[in-house]
Amino acid sequence: MPALYRSLLVTGVLALNCSASFAQEVTLRLGHVEAPASTTHVMLEKMAEMVAEKTGDAVEIQVFPQSQLGSQREMTEAVQFGALDATAGPVAFMGGFNPVASIMDIPFLYPEDAQKAQAIRDSGFAEAFCESFNARGVTCVSLYPNGTKQFTSNKEIGPLDAFSGQSFRVMESAVLVESMGSIGVKGVPIPFGELYTALQTGVVDGEENPLDTIFNMKFFEVQDYLVLSNHGAIENVVLFSPSIWSGLDEPYREAITSSLKEIVPDMIAHKSAAGDRALEAIRASDVTIVELSENERMALRDKMFPAARDAFLARSGGEGADLFQAYQAAFDAVMN
């Protein structure tokens, strides 16, 4: 063989071997229900980039937004049975799958200070919460914040006694219904897709959602009052199929969990900025905005928190009691 050909052959083999050494080893599909512009999607895409960088492109995480891979229930079940690698979803949609997850429906679970709230998650509560999913055929690798809920209504709201006699849409949760009842509000479970019409036609007086949701879904167009209450936490989990997760090399698992943890500050900042932009736009509308004093917020908490807590404990048995105890210990460690 001519020397030139031998040289070209060797070069070609080296190039192939070099390419193979950097070839992608794992491709994972992760689905969620939120829009491409949402905080969840933006941050999960960033997490995927971080994982690729940490693993030398050995792990690719493909993120599918806006229910491309199914509803949250369908994706959660697919992860459970190994048909989907992972999903990131709101805990509020998973009460039927994991009853003790409804602890997140308790109003005023976290303090307003985002850093203290995160410290509570990091003080053992997030780990205990994830364990409740792990016992149900999935592997929970992250619990992360996705905003806080505010109140809106077509009737005046603000001080505690102003809520009495109204009806608010809530997600299908006995804990939410009980917490609303504690301030004289009738909680009415209505599918999210029907909420705008329900507000427009007066089926219910009001609702609760984060600011960016209130703006993006145009609920403010059919509501007269907005109360900045920061009363309800919206929390999400990242769930992996156990067989997929256990099959990953430990450095790959570490790259995923560390990246998810590292993006939390950016996630909080991104969600806060989205809320600020939404509030600015709502202020330009005809909506009356009420900012509660700390005493008024605490008056709401004093009514809503115990009612919701008791409803949760009554329905969640010993497992729920243990999880609430882990929460209380984390809360006390951070706040005292």
Side-chain angles (χ1 to χ4, degrees), residues 93 168-173 187-199 203-204 206-209 213 217 219:
F93 293 168
F168 281 16
R169 178 265 179 183
V170 295
M171 289 177 285
E172 194 166 344
S173 164
V188 182
I190 294 174
F192 185 72
E194 300 174 14
L195 179 52
Y196 183 94
T197 301
L199 295 171
V203 172
V204 288
E207 55 85 46
E208 54 171 9
N209 263 302
T213 301
M217 299 305 296
F219 297 148

Side-chain angles (χ1 to χ4, degrees), residues 46-178:
K46 180 174 181 178
M47 177 272 296
E49 293 175 3
M50 294 168 66
V51 170
E53 182 178 352
K54 290 179 180 181
T55 61
D57 291 328
V59 177
E60 177 189 19
I61 299 179
Q62 299 175 345
V63 184
F64 296 85
Q66 212 155 6
S67 302
Q68 290 180 23
L69 302 183
S71 67
Q72 187 58 63
R73 177 177 178 178
E74 290 168 338
M75 287 189 289
T76 303
E77 291 176 348
V79 168
Q80 185 182 25
F81 295 115
L84 178 62
D85 300 319
T87 184
V91 172
F93 293 168
M94 299 183 184
F97 174 76
N98 178 10
V100 299
S102 60
I103 191 173
M104 295 300 178
D105 291 335
I106 299 175
F108 300 100
L109 194 71
Y110 294 121
E112 279 195 287
D113 186 294
Q115 291 185 336
K116 289 182 178 179
Q118 187 59 35
I120 290 172
R121 295 183 193 92
D122 292 339
S123 296
F125 177 53
E127 183 178 353
F129 186 79
C130 271
E131 279 299 320
S132 72
F133 281 90
N134 296 345
R136 290 170 170 83
V138 295
T139 299
C140 175
V141 300
S142 177
L143 171 71
Y144 65 89
N146 198 24
T148 55
K149 293 186 285 188
Q150 321 294 338
F151 289 118
T152 69
S153 180
N154 275 323
K155 297 180 180 178
E156 186 174 354
I157 48 176
L160 181 59
D161 57 2
F163 287 87
S164 184
Q166 298 192 40
S167 60
F168 281 16
R169 178 265 179 183
V170 295
M171 289 177 285
E172 194 166 344
S173 164
V175 174
L176 289 175
V177 171
E178 290 289 336

Side-chain angles (χ1 to χ4, degrees), residues 127-289:
E127 183 178 353
F129 186 79
C130 271
E131 279 299 320
S132 72
F133 281 90
N134 296 345
R136 290 170 170 83
V138 295
T139 299
C140 175
V141 300
S142 177
L143 171 71
Y144 65 89
N146 198 24
T148 55
K149 293 186 285 188
Q150 321 294 338
F151 289 118
T152 69
S153 180
N154 275 323
K155 297 180 180 178
E156 186 174 354
I157 48 176
L160 181 59
D161 57 2
F163 287 87
S164 184
Q166 298 192 40
S167 60
F168 281 16
R169 178 265 179 183
V170 295
M171 289 177 285
E172 194 166 344
S173 164
V175 174
L176 289 175
V177 171
E178 290 289 336
S179 66
M180 289 294 182
S182 69
I183 57 173
V185 171
K186 180 181 179 181
V188 182
I190 294 174
F192 185 72
E194 300 174 14
L195 179 52
Y196 183 94
T197 301
L199 295 171
Q200 185 180 42
T201 58
V203 172
V204 288
D205 300 309
E207 55 85 46
E208 54 171 9
N209 263 302
L211 285 168
D212 55 338
T213 301
I214 292 168
F215 176 72
N216 292 334
M217 299 305 296
K218 302 187 185 303
F219 297 148
F220 74 99
E221 294 182 347
V222 288
Q223 297 278 263
D224 294 327
Y225 295 90
L226 164 66
V227 170
L228 301 177
S229 53
N230 292 315
H231 66 279
I234 302 292
E235 302 282 287
N236 283 26
V237 284
V238 178
L239 307 176
F240 268 79
S241 167
S243 60
I244 295 297
W245 185 253
S246 62
L248 292 174
D249 292 342
E250 175 57 30
Y252 294 172
R253 293 198 296 266
E254 171 60 25
I256 293 170
T257 55
S258 64
S259 297
L260 284 167
K261 185 174 183 178
E262 288 165 20
I263 64 171
V264 166
D266 287 344
M267 187 171 287
I268 293 172
H270 189 278
K271 190 70 176 183
S272 178
D276 290 344
R277 290 192 299 270
L279 181 58
E280 184 178 356
I282 295 171
R283 286 190 190 279
S285 71
D286 294 331
V287 174
T288 298
I289 298 175

